[in-house]
Amino acid sequence: KGYALLDDVLQGGWGTAVEGEISNGVFKASFTKFMSVEHDTEDRAISPGPTRIILAYGTSATPAYHNGNRLATTITFVNDTTVTPTQSPTANVSLQLSNFTVPDEETVYACQAYDVADSLPIITTYPHHAIGFRPIDDTTASPFTLHHILVYACSASPTLGVPAACPDSGPTCTEIALTWAAGNGAYYLPDEAGILFGQGGFRYLVMEVRYDNPSKATAVDNSGIEIFFTAELRQYDAGVLAVGDPEYRIQGPLSSVQADCVDYCTAQNPSDITIFGSFMHMRGQGSHMQVNQYRDSTLVKTISKVEFFTAELEGITRASAVIAQGDEIHVTCDYKSAVNFGRNTSSEACVTYLYTYPKAGVGFCGYKSDTAGLCGANDVPLSHSRPASSIRDPVQQIAFGSGVTVPKNSTSHCALFTLQKADDYKVCWTVEQTNLILDLTVATTGWVGFGISEPDSGSMGGSDIATIEWVSGVPTVTDRFATGNTAPQPDNCGDDNWSIEDFQVSNGVVTGRLIKPVTVLDTQRDRPVNHGQNRIILAFGTQPTMAYHSSARLATSIDFFSGNQGNALPLLMEPYVELTMSGYSVPSTKTVYACQAFDMERYLSYFATEDYQAVMFKPSSKTDETVHTIVLYACAVNNPTFNSLINNPGESCPTLNSSCSEVIYSWAVGAGPTTLPSDAGFRFSFDNPSHYRFLMLEIYYDNRLMGRNPSQDYSGVAIGFTRYMRQYDAQTVAIGDPFLQIPETIPVTTMGELFSLQVNCPADCTRRFRSAVNIFGVVFQMHQRGKRSLLNLWSNGTSKAILSTEYYGVGFQNVNEAQSEMFPGDELHAVCSYDNDAGPETNIGRSADQEQCIAYVYVYPKVSVTMCGYLNERQSLCGYQDPVEVPQYTPNVTDSLPDLTFGNSSICTLTPAPPPVTMVPPTPTPPTLVPIPVVVPTGVPIPVTIPPVVNITSVPTSVPVAVVTEEPTEAPDGLPGNCVGYDVATKNDYIVCYIIEEGEVTLIVTVK
């Protein structure tokens, strides 16, 4: 391994340990790199989204010139929303060249025109938003390659009906709609924006494809681009603003140029615009490029820049800037020598394509001549024009490789949360080598709280909390922990679990940085930052020091390592169905259960002839703030109550019985989505009674604090389906007391005392299972008095805890991941413990003032039993109709609750720090990504339900999956990891396999 400049700073870079061997002319090695860097300008961090990588090799033992054995490309090690969207498309359209014959020229431009309505006629009636796109590369077996694709929007139907060489002046349709360049995969727009097609938007397009053809070969090609659409219009219309010299008018030769989009032009925008992406374009002589935002002649920020430009690897990069009316955007380009400008590859370019929402007032802005600026179809007045040869912006020094330290890391992900009013608590975050960095912006002038909860609960009890308070006007952080819904106690162990920087109050808002180690020493009072979803709690108050937060509190979740907020959902493979209440009137002064039934025949297009599997669930985007819990039941239509609720919400919810006997999804405030394992799904069938067809949506509304007038509610569940059947059918088994019939009274308890119930699923029942099952998830259901829960699996006299929750939270009933195998004849024991020191005594029942003890266990393959537990004092429930003669309820708990691992205030468990990271590849083997090909003929109408795009697999939490946009390659010789093969000099001569674990990426390379 080696760089052109060796790194003289050890921390934060590449591991010094390399394991490798040479055998039969092939070099194999594994090495480790930290994903984040501290303050070292000779290291690069690995961020979410596509990571630009370079590959090279040589025949000498030490680094020497590679003789052309080199390649620049990308790998997505960590997903973000630009490569994995949170909303699935409802349709897709492929724009492909129709058998274009690439001529024997080194550089080739091909153009073809399209009417999107030919493939998606619905846009002529109902506008759609384009929310993403990806390349269709037909050149993999050809001697030439794709360099870039530009899609232009036209105001009228263009004349190019068949592919042809583009005119020298470029397409006559000059508004840019989409951009793509080699080395990049799919790209998705932010959730709040889409490119409008149909009435008021685009319809006619011209696609320009550039080929690099150094061998001057000739062959037929059908490359292009696939666009993903949604019928559910987003908040903003997005657009592309070309800034700089988009018409190639700068007169050279020049070695540095600057082209400005001046205040005169941005004043024509309909409002402030947000920039979320930047595609910077130069050619082979380009060396450095930057895009700056100015306001009143003052630099506001650098929107994007590249210090070491390469024409081999352009693409859309993440950007974040708000351009006010009257701001200016300056584009500066530097070259290795003096160059001329034009469309051909022997000339140069200086333009950036900025993705914005809302759409800017013009499509082009920048240089036209030394006496006239470009502003859409109009010229900028002479008084605002500037020559391109005059570099007005200060030259920014190149930071990378300078050997100087850089400022503290900036946070790379943000999420907005609503506690009392819209978006009043903003969290931005990044993970450095050993620390979680949080930048908080909270709409208060008082104290602020942030906490990490128990992974299986999410309640305040069991939380590691930091409070930022104002002591004599000075911001002070206190490390705290909570054991219940009471004031959290100070953590006096002295291990500095939380620290702060730069906290201040300004204009009614608290801002500052909160820092927490990823690993902890005191496991009784501190929580580590885990891979996957971390349950967090937020709160604030108006007083300077901590006091009761009232309603200014929220439980939610964030994946700090991948950047996903708790409601993020991977791209679905097929229909994306939302089942919602049809305008239910929420009462203003009470809590209430409301239900609505659904026949899936109405929602699944091919249901009459094909089966489907449900593989993902999350709350609908329309979910109202009064919703406390959502439960989705699988049902059979055989009673009048159910029939009356089909597409008609009401409060007469059927109880759990033969009509609705299985819970397939459960959600409560703050919980995230549920994704099934890659080999299992809930099977839906039109006419097979052993599968599902009818669903019952039950929503529990808590409107006591809201006190609102009745509102029309459309809350519900979003479900992802696939028609490509997975290996196993999944189901849930309700363990405990699903019929709510235990005759036990829950007494008033003393402080610190718990009252427990235990209900078993006996061996006589599980012997009816058709085979062994895999348990992959558990949801416990108790009410307000619920404190602890335990689900034990007993096999051959030995118990294993499937799920043990120390601080149960009724407001966070999420599906908790589990990994256990259960055999016929094993037993499941459910233990529910209640804290009732506030009284009064209560019993088991359905209302919020009563209690419950149910564990919904997610399993595959499907078994013959959907419920197991208490029926009466003589019998145990085993399915709906056939009990077993074994009483399995006892108020005397035989399965002991384990000792608390968190919250013991009498001791400090300062365990030793974990050992240093060993630079060897980890052993777990994540599942192989399974791409499913999409074949869509050009010009063929696409149904609203799209074919599968990619099969996102689930993995154990210890090995977060990294979904690559390239074609996966099988790991060589059984090595673990996701693999990508590259053609540096010959086919698949450089293979990269990678595993992400504990903040590091391990790379295993195989080079011929």
Side-chain angles (χ1 to χ4, degrees):
K1 71 179 179 69
Y3 276 164
L5 294 176
L6 293 179
D7 186 352
D8 59 2
V9 181
L10 292 180
Q11 83 174 36
W14 299 87
T16 56
V18 176
E19 292 196 352
E21 65 177 9
I22 297 177
S23 176
N24 298 321
V26 176
F27 173 72
K28 298 180 181 179
S30 67
F31 45 94
T32 302
K33 173 179 169 50
F34 290 114
M35 296 179 66
S36 59
V37 298
E38 294 284 346
H39 312 298
D40 179 5
T41 58
E42 296 176 349
D43 290 330
R44 292 288 190 194
I46 294 176
S47 302
T51 296
R52 267 66 174 170
I53 64 170
I54 58 171
L55 314 175
Y57 60 84
T59 56
S60 60
T62 56
Y65 181 57
H66 47 59
N67 288 315
N69 295 322
R70 55 100 178 95
L71 182 71
T73 183
T74 64
I75 288 182
T76 301
F77 293 114
V78 182
N79 282 338
D80 69 353
T81 54
T82 67
V83 294
T84 302
T86 59
Q87 179 192 10
S88 289
T90 58
N92 60 342
V93 171
S94 293
L95 310 181
Q96 291 182 258
L97 296 176
S98 302
N99 296 319
F100 174 68
T101 301
V102 178
D104 56 349
E105 302 171 7
E106 288 190 9
T107 302
V108 178
Y109 285 89
C111 286
Q112 185 169 343
Y114 308 86
D115 181 352
V116 177
D118 288 344
S119 298
L120 195 64
I122 194 174
I123 66 169
T124 60
T125 307
Y126 300 103
H128 279 51
H129 268 151
I131 60 174
F133 50 91
R134 68 174 181 176
I136 302 172
D137 189 353
D138 189 41
T139 67
T140 53
S142 302
F144 45 77
T145 59
L146 293 180
H147 183 271
H148 71 250
I149 297 174
L150 296 181
V151 178
Y152 295 83
C154 315
S155 57
S157 177
T159 57
L160 292 172
V162 295
C166 299
D168 291 341
S169 59
T172 56
C173 307
T174 54
E175 185 172 357
I176 299 292
L178 305 170
T179 62
W180 176 86
N184 294 272
Y187 178 81
Y188 296 91
L189 278 69
D191 289 348
E192 61 270 25
I195 299 171
L196 186 64
F197 280 75
Q199 185 176 3
F202 301 146
R203 172 175 172 177
Y204 302 105
L205 302 175
V206 169
M207 180 176 67
E208 173 191 279
V209 179
R210 177 189 149 180
Y211 298 92
D212 282 345
N213 189 15
S215 63
K216 296 185 178 181
T218 181
V220 174
D221 185 63
N222 294 279
S223 295
I225 200 163
E226 182 180 20
I227 308 174
F228 303 113
F229 291 89
T230 180
E232 185 176 337
L233 295 183
R234 296 179 169 186
Q235 183 177 0
Y236 299 108
D237 292 337
V240 177
L241 173 60
V243 179
D245 182 26
E247 296 183 349
Y248 307 100
R249 292 176 178 267
I250 293 177
Q251 299 297 308
L254 295 169
S255 60
S256 294
V257 297
Q258 179 171 326
D260 298 346
C261 178
V262 298
D263 52 1
Y264 170 86
C265 197
T266 65
Q268 299 182 32
N269 290 334
S271 63
D272 294 352
I273 60 173
T274 296
I275 296 173
F276 60 87
S278 175
F279 183 113
M280 294 182 286
H281 177 53
M282 296 189 289
R283 296 202 181 100
Q285 290 297 309
S287 60
H288 174 263
M289 186 174 183
Q290 65 185 31
V291 182
N292 289 333
Q293 175 190 6
Y294 275 80
R295 182 174 299 157
D296 299 327
S297 301
T298 301
L299 176 66
V300 176
K301 71 182 303 182
T302 296
I303 298 171
S304 57
K305 73 173 182 178
V306 57
E307 294 182 344
F308 301 90
F309 181 82
T310 172
E312 293 179 306
L313 203 60
E314 299 176 302
I316 304 171
T317 57
R318 185 195 304 270
S320 178
V322 177
I323 306 298
Q325 293 170 309
D327 285 358
E328 295 195 351
I329 305 172
H330 298 179
V331 179
T332 305
C333 299
D334 298 324
Y335 305 92
K336 300 168 188 174
S337 60
V339 296
N340 291 307
F341 297 84
R343 281 183 54 82
N344 60 67
T345 54
S346 62
S347 302
E348 266 300 336
C350 180
V351 61
T352 182
Y353 301 103
L354 299 176
Y355 283 73
T356 75
Y357 67 80
K359 189 177 177 181
V362 298
F364 293 83
C365 183
Y367 180 86
K368 188 170 186 178
S369 71
D370 284 355
T371 58
L374 182 68
C375 184
N378 301 316
D379 289 350
V380 173
L382 177 62
S383 59
H384 292 263
S385 301
R386 297 162 190 168
S389 58
S390 173
I391 307 302
R392 295 163 294 278
D393 287 15
V395 177
Q396 295 194 11
Q397 297 298 316
I398 294 178
F400 186 84
S402 64
V404 300
T405 58
V406 296
K408 63 187 180 184
N409 284 15
S410 59
T411 47
S412 54
H413 305 280
C414 293
L416 294 169
F417 300 100
T418 297
L419 278 62
Q420 284 188 322
K421 58 183 180 181
D423 301 339
D424 55 1
Y425 201 123
K426 180 180 180 181
V427 181
C428 297
W429 67 90
T430 194
V431 178
E432 287 188 352
Q433 182 174 332
T434 57
N435 290 324
L436 170 65
I437 309 298
L438 301 164
D439 287 335
L440 307 182
T441 303
V442 187
T444 185
T445 58
W447 66 274
V448 171
F450 184 98
I452 297 181
S453 301
E454 182 180 10
D456 295 330
S457 169
S459 65
M460 181 176 175
S463 295
D464 174 10
I465 298 171
T467 56
I468 298 92
E469 303 168 84
W470 305 93
V471 180
S472 301
V474 177
T476 303
V477 64
T478 303
D479 184 2
R480 300 177 182 271
F481 68 102
T483 57
N485 293 327
T486 57
Q489 308 170 48
D491 178 357
N492 297 319
C493 282
D495 53 337
D496 298 327
N497 185 48
W498 299 91
S499 60
I500 59 173
E501 294 178 359
D502 305 328
F503 265 88
Q504 60 179 332
V505 179
S506 178
N507 298 321
V509 176
V510 170
T511 59
R513 173 163 288 192
L514 182 63
I515 303 171
K516 173 181 173 56
V518 170
T519 58
V520 298
L521 299 179
D522 180 11
T523 57
Q524 278 287 344
R525 306 182 184 196
D526 299 329
R527 293 283 185 195
V529 181
N530 297 317
H531 285 273
Q533 293 295 328
N534 287 262
R535 309 293 170 83
I536 65 170
I537 58 172
L538 313 173
F540 63 81
T542 57
Q543 301 180 27
T545 55
M546 188 187 68
Y548 180 55
H549 47 60
S550 186
S551 61
R553 53 99 175 97
L554 180 70
T556 184
S557 60
I558 291 177
D559 185 339
F560 293 112
F561 286 91
S562 75
N564 290 330
Q565 190 183 335
N567 61 355
L569 196 63
L571 178 66
L572 301 181
M573 298 185 300
E574 261 281 344
Y576 181 76
V577 175
E578 290 200 353
L579 305 180
T580 62
M581 290 292 187
S582 301
Y584 171 66
S585 295
V586 182
S588 60
T589 58
K590 67 172 184 175
T591 62
V592 66
Y593 286 92
C595 292
Q596 183 167 329
F598 303 88
D599 183 346
M600 296 311 296
E601 180 187 13
R602 176 179 175 181
Y603 301 92
L604 301 175
S605 302
Y606 305 100
F607 199 37
T609 57
E610 297 187 39
D611 286 0
Y612 288 75
Q613 281 181 326
V615 296
M616 298 177 184
F617 302 86
K618 73 167 186 175
S620 163
S621 58
K622 304 179 181 68
T623 297
D624 188 78
E625 59 187 345
T626 59
V627 173
H628 188 269
T629 58
I630 297 175
V631 179
L632 189 65
Y633 297 90
C635 305
V637 179
N638 63 357
N639 69 46
T641 303
F642 182 96
N643 294 333
S644 67
L645 292 172
I646 291 183
N647 302 320
N648 181 37
E651 297 174 17
S652 300
C653 297
T655 57
L656 190 66
N657 52 33
S658 61
S659 295
C660 298
S661 59
E662 189 173 338
V663 171
I664 63 172
Y665 177 59
S666 176
W667 175 90
V669 176
T674 294
T675 302
L676 271 69
S678 60
D679 51 358
F682 290 102
R683 177 76 70 95
F684 282 74
S685 177
F686 178 73
D687 53 7
N688 188 334
S690 64
H691 301 318
Y692 310 122
R693 172 176 170 178
F694 304 98
L695 296 176
M696 174 73 74
L697 180 67
E698 177 188 88
I699 298 182
Y700 173 53
Y701 296 91
D702 187 349
N703 202 18
R704 291 171 294 183
L705 294 178
M706 304 299 178
R708 303 186 313 185
N709 293 325
S711 62
Q712 300 294 309
D713 181 54
Y714 296 88
S715 301
V717 173
I719 311 174
F721 287 91
T722 180
R723 286 184 290 145
Y724 293 81
M725 293 297 100
R726 297 182 174 185
Q727 182 176 1
Y728 300 108
D729 292 334
Q731 74 165 79
T732 61
V733 182
I735 305 296
D737 183 23
F739 286 159
L740 306 177
Q741 296 186 132
I742 291 179
E744 192 70 31
T745 297
I746 298 175
V748 177
T749 57
T750 60
M751 183 68 71
E753 177 191 7
L754 298 179
F755 176 80
S756 298
L757 299 175
Q758 178 173 325
V759 190
N760 301 341
C761 177
D764 284 357
C765 184
T766 67
R767 290 191 182 98
R768 298 179 182 175
F769 289 7
R770 290 187 287 263
S771 65
V773 298
N774 293 288
I775 299 175
F776 65 89
V778 179
V779 180
F780 257 96
Q781 186 165 308
M782 298 187 285
H783 283 169
Q784 298 291 344
R785 297 170 178 82
K787 178 68 173 181
R788 297 190 64 178
S789 60
L790 173 67
L791 182 67
N792 276 339
L793 172 63
W794 284 85
S795 181
N796 297 322
T798 303
S799 69
K800 172 187 176 182
I802 304 298
L803 180 70
S804 176
T805 303
E806 297 182 350
Y807 297 91
Y808 177 83
V810 67
F812 215 106
Q813 296 175 30
N814 200 28
V815 179
N816 296 289
E817 290 186 9
Q819 292 182 7
S820 292
E821 189 172 15
M822 180 178 178
F823 294 90
D826 290 350
E827 293 192 352
L828 286 172
H829 296 185
V831 180
C832 300
S833 299
Y834 308 92
D835 180 358
N836 195 24
D837 57 8
E841 66 179 29
T842 188
N843 55 10
I844 300 296
R846 184 174 174 80
S847 77
D849 295 328
Q850 296 173 300
E851 273 302 334
Q852 298 182 359
C853 182
I854 310 171
Y856 297 106
V857 181
Y858 287 68
V859 304
Y860 70 85
K862 200 169 184 178
V863 296
S864 57
V865 175
T866 60
M867 56 188 73
C868 181
Y870 180 83
L871 182 61
N872 54 52
E873 293 183 358
R874 296 179 298 102
Q875 297 172 309
S876 288
L877 186 67
C878 187
Y880 180 68
Q881 294 180 328
D882 192 9
V884 294
E885 301 296 325
V886 181
Q888 286 297 321
Y889 156 68
T890 172
N892 301 314
V893 176
T894 59
D895 288 28
S896 300
L897 293 171
D899 293 336
L900 287 175
T901 61
F902 184 94
N904 191 328
S905 60
S906 61
I907 58 174
C908 292
T909 57
L910 294 178
T911 56
V917 176
T918 303
M919 301 299 183
V920 295
T923 55
T925 304
T928 303
L929 298 175
V930 183
I932 298 178
V934 182
V935 181
V936 183
T938 304
V940 178
I942 307 298
V944 172
T945 56
I946 69 168
V949 177
V950 64
N951 183 356
I952 306 298
T953 60
S954 67
V955 297
T957 55
S958 61
V959 188
V961 70
V963 180
V964 299
T965 57
E966 303 81 359
E967 282 291 319
T969 301
E970 184 175 335
D973 297 338
L975 286 174
N978 298 304
C979 298
V980 185
Y982 297 101
D983 305 339
V984 177
T986 61
K987 183 69 174 179
N988 274 345
D989 57 354
Y990 201 125
I991 296 176
V992 181
C993 301
Y994 56 93
I995 296 173
I996 293 178
E997 187 175 53
E998 299 300 329
E1000 293 180 345
V1001 56
T1002 295
L1003 304 169
I1004 303 98
V1005 300
T1006 303
V1007 186
K1008 294 180 182 176

